Amino acid sequence: MREIDFVVGPSREGQWSGLCLEPALRISAPTLEELHHEAREALILSLGPSHVACRIRLRRQLGQIRSRLPCSGPQGREDQQIVPAVVAEAARGPS
């Protein structure tokens, strides 16, 4: 099964947008659930019947992942080692 990755993030107040590089697609919707539906619709239009062999993944932008990580302040040196590993794992997505 082929995986199609959409990098998603908030585009404006109450709106989400997604971008896929291969095939080149751009989508937007008010919720993440509807964004996933829009991604499937875009694949149907782009790939035709072969869209059934594709799995869609919505991935958040790396900057959003970093901004949501906990930070213990300047004395928390352990965060300096943990954060890069967590960001790399989040960018890879689930196994």
Side-chain angles (χ1 to χ4, degrees), residues 34-92:
E34 290 181 43
L35 193 68
H36 194 274
H37 177 73
E38 290 295 322
R40 176 60 61 193
E41 291 294 320
L43 279 179
I44 291 170
L45 292 174
S46 177
L47 303 177
S50 65
H51 79 279
V52 296
C54 297
R55 176 180 174 195
I56 296 172
R57 284 192 158 185
L58 302 181
R59 297 180 186 254
R60 296 212 182 190
Q61 295 171 346
L62 190 58
Q64 292 175 329
I65 294 169
R66 276 198 183 123
S67 68
R68 292 173 188 253
L69 292 174
C71 181
S72 62
Q75 68 275 19
R77 294 197 187 276
E78 66 278 356
D79 284 349
Q80 294 174 358
Q81 297 167 350
I82 295 171
V83 169
V86 172
V87 168
E89 182 180 338
R92 267 196 318 270

Side-chain angles (χ1 to χ4, degrees), residues 13-29:
E13 189 76 28
Q15 196 75 0
W16 288 87
S17 65
L19 177 66
C20 178
L21 298 178
E22 184 59 39
L25 300 170
R26 185 177 297 250
I27 56 174
S28 66

